[in-house]
Amino acid sequence: MLSLQNLTLRRGTRALLENVSATIHAGQRVGVVGKNGVGKSTLFAAIRRELIPESGNVDLSKNVVVAAVSQDTPPLEQAAIDYALDGDIELRELQAELAQVEQRLEAETTDDDINRLVALHERLTTIDGYAAKARAAQLLHGLGFVPNTQTNPVASFSGGWRMRLNIARALMRRCDLLLLDEPTNHLDMDAALWLQEELAVFPGTLLLVSHDREFLDAVCTHTLHLERQNATLYVGGYSQFERQRAERLTQQQIAHEKQQEKAAHLKSFIDRFKTHASKARQAQSRIKALERMELVAPVLAENEFSFRFRQPEKVPSPLIHITDGEVGYTGKALLTRLKLSLQPGERVALLGANGVGKSTLMKSLAGAQDFIGGDVIRASDLKVGYYAQHQLEQLDPEASPFLHLRRLDRRAAEQSLRDYLGRFSFHGDRQMEAIAPFSGGEKARLALALVAYQRPNLLLLDEPTNHLDLEMRHALEMAINDYAGAVVLVSHDRHLVQSVCDTLWRVADGSCAVFDGDLDDYASWLRTERRKAQRAGV
């Protein structure tokens, strides 16, 4: 299906992959993993023929159809469902030709046109073309588009929702190889769970870049790990890859240490007897053995990223108490009858589809917008750290990490601020550079550093894992678990939610209430609700 042969890829002067070889077979669903910046998206660009390799080849089997999610969506007046249907290129070509043939037949009946008409209808039947619109509607519904929005113009949707349209469009295309680069970044947990189930039964070959280990485990049959300009293919999902890699590294280190002992023994013999005529032949044979020895590389320690939220100076109880609360906008309440209380050490995850009011509730808890009704009691010592869903957009692209931090604390000593930034892996000149060219992961790391610096006793984290690789997500998990204050989290990353949260609040039907169960129960509940909606034709 797909073969990488001695492939070298560069971005500018930097080699991302060097002399990489790997083979992906038809039907395999491969998770492509690795730290930010190792070349995952660059590899996809090479597969799509958008990037010419420095050397080597990307070989695809003959007539392989490749589909990928476009990163651009023009502000079209076309209906969302028609935009999704356009993803099935053959369907649209058949429909266009069918219209032409029917138009000719209205003017004059010919045997050629009748035969072509029959052939076109047969092909439409074969590709299930008559059910294509129902399929597109089902995809859009799974991605969160309720039926009465599916005919809205593409231009009426925000950027995040347009990316969902691009995912639907890619899934509509019948392809041999599907490339998905971080598809869950623009999804809530409900839609991510739906997409997971779709991809788990995808009949073609799949290459999936993701930093969501639960998603990878549920979908993938293999894992391609990119690291230090190399690529290694493992059998199994992410958890199996972690175990296999740990075992391989352990064996590599053992082999390296044994080889070093053997090499030291050979060198010792050579040094002792190379000048002795009676031992010259044995010394020479050991020199040759040493030269022939294929060196086993040592296991190099990874510089794992870690950080801590600064512990709050005071942790009042309760932090916030709400009775009969309402959140929303002037003239429109999104959530009513809220009865919520947050205690120190509490870990809460908000569940629910996009648009039901999760982010609005977070803004109201943060004080970024007022509750529009109810009795809201905030502790006098309440100090909120709020990481908004679009937090990176609030950073100043012309300012450095140091200047961002200085604006928070004008009185702190320069060395103190520099030391703090160092704990978030900003070192040396990087602390003083404008952040405009920084990667999404670096900007997210800076945003977390700014939130942590203020010593909040209530952390509100709205989709904090977007742009974070697996290493940084693990660091965030550890930091939350080590934090003394309360946390309210919105995230599509189930592993993070499962690892840090002990209470689930479901936001739906205009209110927010405790969900009695875990995330597996929630996934089962969602499946049941979808089946009910399908039976009701909603």
Side-chain angles (χ1 to χ4, degrees):
M1 164 62 75
L2 171 65
S3 177
L4 311 179
Q5 300 176 351
N6 300 316
L7 182 68
T8 296
L9 297 177
R10 291 183 180 273
R11 282 293 189 189
T13 59
R14 179 180 168 222
L16 296 176
L17 298 176
E18 197 157 14
N19 295 322
V20 165
S21 295
T23 300
I24 309 298
H25 296 287
Q28 292 180 343
R29 299 190 299 274
V30 182
V32 183
V33 302
K35 291 183 179 180
N36 285 338
V38 296
K40 301 185 293 295
S41 296
T42 304
L43 174 61
F44 274 24
I47 294 171
R48 295 193 303 267
R49 311 298 190 197
E50 296 171 359
L51 178 70
I52 299 174
E54 175 84 5
S55 62
N57 297 297
V58 177
D59 288 340
L60 284 168
S61 299
K62 191 176 181 181
N63 299 324
V64 166
V65 176
V66 180
V69 177
S70 172
Q71 297 303 305
D72 299 312
T73 317
L76 304 172
E77 291 304 312
Q78 183 183 26
I81 192 166
D82 290 327
Y83 180 80
L85 277 165
D86 285 349
D88 191 335
I89 295 173
E90 184 184 6
L91 171 70
R92 288 311 204 192
E93 290 175 346
L94 289 171
Q95 288 175 334
E97 187 179 355
L98 186 63
Q100 292 173 355
V101 171
E102 288 175 340
Q103 189 175 20
R104 289 199 300 268
L105 285 171
E106 287 179 1
E108 180 184 359
T109 302
T110 66
D111 288 343
D112 286 346
D113 281 340
I114 290 173
N115 291 334
R116 186 55 186 159
L117 184 70
V118 171
L120 289 170
H121 280 292
E122 285 179 349
R123 182 57 185 164
L124 281 169
T125 300
T126 299
I127 68 171
D128 207 17
Y130 298 108
K133 191 163 187 176
R135 167 69 174 154
Q138 183 184 26
L139 289 175
L140 291 176
H141 191 271
L143 289 167
F145 294 87
V146 294
N148 61 4
T149 66
Q150 295 181 5
T151 54
N152 291 351
V154 172
S156 68
F157 295 100
S158 66
W161 284 96
R162 290 188 199 178
M163 285 305 301
R164 294 187 186 214
L165 287 176
N166 285 341
I167 293 173
R169 189 180 173 113
L171 293 175
M172 274 302 298
R173 187 170 190 189
R174 282 167 291 101
C175 63
D176 305 297
L177 175 61
L178 177 61
L179 307 178
L180 293 179
D181 192 348
E182 290 283 10
T184 61
N185 266 4
H186 302 279
L187 305 182
D188 52 63
M189 187 180 292
D190 293 25
L193 285 166
W194 173 86
L195 181 60
Q196 170 189 300
E197 294 175 4
E198 284 286 304
L199 296 179
V201 295
F202 177 67
T205 305
L206 172 68
L207 286 184
L208 167 68
V209 173
S210 178
H211 295 296
D212 186 332
R213 63 182 66 207
E214 296 285 338
F215 195 84
L216 290 165
D217 274 342
V219 170
C220 296
T221 61
H222 293 72
T223 301
L224 183 67
H225 181 224
L226 307 188
E227 180 186 39
R228 294 194 179 96
Q229 303 175 340
N230 204 353
T232 307
L233 186 64
Y234 295 82
V235 176
Y238 188 82
S239 295
Q240 290 173 278
F241 147 71
E242 276 194 319
R243 288 193 294 271
Q244 292 175 58
R245 179 170 179 260
E247 291 168 2
R248 182 178 66 80
L249 291 178
T250 299
Q251 293 303 316
Q252 179 181 330
Q253 186 62 28
I254 291 171
H256 171 75
E257 290 171 358
K258 286 183 177 179
Q259 187 182 67
Q260 292 302 299
E261 289 178 7
K262 183 177 180 180
H265 180 73
L266 290 172
K267 288 177 182 176
S268 175
F269 185 93
I270 293 166
D271 291 341
R272 289 203 325 268
F273 297 112
K274 63 184 177 182
T275 58
H276 291 61
S278 61
K279 298 286 186 179
R281 182 171 295 178
Q282 293 94 319
Q284 195 63 35
S285 69
R286 281 163 174 76
I287 291 172
K288 290 179 180 179
L290 197 59
E291 290 174 345
R292 289 195 302 269
M293 188 177 290
E294 189 173 336
L295 293 180
V296 178
V299 174
L300 301 177
E302 292 284 349
N303 294 320
E304 289 193 5
F305 172 71
S306 63
F307 73 96
R308 296 180 66 185
F309 288 110
R310 301 176 86 194
Q311 296 300 339
E313 296 171 342
K314 296 181 180 180
V315 188
S317 179
L319 293 158
I320 187 169
H321 185 81
I322 303 162
T323 305
D324 203 26
E326 292 186 5
V327 299
Y329 304 94
T330 305
K332 183 181 179 182
L334 292 178
L335 302 176
T336 61
R337 307 183 308 281
L338 297 176
K339 186 178 180 181
L340 308 172
S341 184
L342 285 169
Q343 305 292 334
E346 196 161 8
R347 304 288 189 265
V348 177
L350 294 184
L351 307 179
N354 275 4
V356 296
K358 300 191 303 295
S359 292
T360 305
L361 176 57
M362 293 285 269
K363 289 177 185 176
S364 297
L365 290 172
Q369 70 180 50
D370 292 333
F371 282 82
I372 60 175
D375 187 17
V376 180
I377 301 174
R378 298 176 183 271
S380 58
D381 294 317
L382 177 66
K383 196 169 185 180
V384 177
Y386 178 37
Y387 187 102
Q389 187 171 3
H390 303 291
Q391 187 74 23
L392 304 198
E393 297 171 11
Q394 299 177 26
L395 298 175
D396 179 356
E398 301 306 316
S400 66
F402 180 85
L403 182 54
H404 277 90
L405 196 58
R406 168 62 78 199
R407 288 170 179 171
L408 284 182
D409 191 347
R410 301 284 182 183
R411 301 171 62 183
E414 177 177 336
Q415 192 59 48
S416 172
L417 298 181
R418 281 181 166 274
D419 290 345
Y420 180 78
L421 287 170
R423 292 199 289 274
F424 285 81
S425 292
F426 293 105
H427 302 289
D429 293 341
R430 199 66 167 165
Q431 295 182 352
M432 297 299 183
E433 295 173 4
I435 68 166
F438 282 22
S439 69
E442 288 174 312
K443 291 176 182 176
R445 201 184 328 139
L446 174 59
L448 284 169
L450 297 176
V451 170
Y453 186 81
Q454 301 171 73
R455 294 186 180 274
N457 46 35
L458 172 59
L459 272 174
L460 304 174
L461 304 175
D462 194 349
E463 293 292 0
T465 61
N466 287 348
H467 307 290
L468 300 187
D469 59 24
L470 280 157
E471 180 186 13
M472 289 181 64
R473 292 183 188 209
H474 179 68
L476 177 61
E477 173 192 329
M478 295 297 101
I480 291 174
N481 282 330
D482 191 43
Y483 172 67
V487 178
V488 180
L489 171 69
V490 175
S491 178
H492 62 265
D493 187 323
R494 281 182 297 147
H495 180 79
L496 180 64
V497 171
Q498 288 173 327
S499 299
V500 305
C501 295
D502 44 37
T503 303
L504 304 178
W505 290 356
R506 186 172 70 88
V507 181
D509 303 322
S511 193
C512 176
V514 173
F515 179 79
D516 186 15
D518 58 19
L519 285 183
D520 289 335
D521 296 322
Y522 183 68
S524 297
W525 177 83
L526 281 176
R527 283 191 291 270
T528 301
E529 292 300 303
R530 280 199 297 267
R531 285 194 292 268
K532 287 180 182 178
Q534 288 171 357
R535 285 196 295 268
V538 177

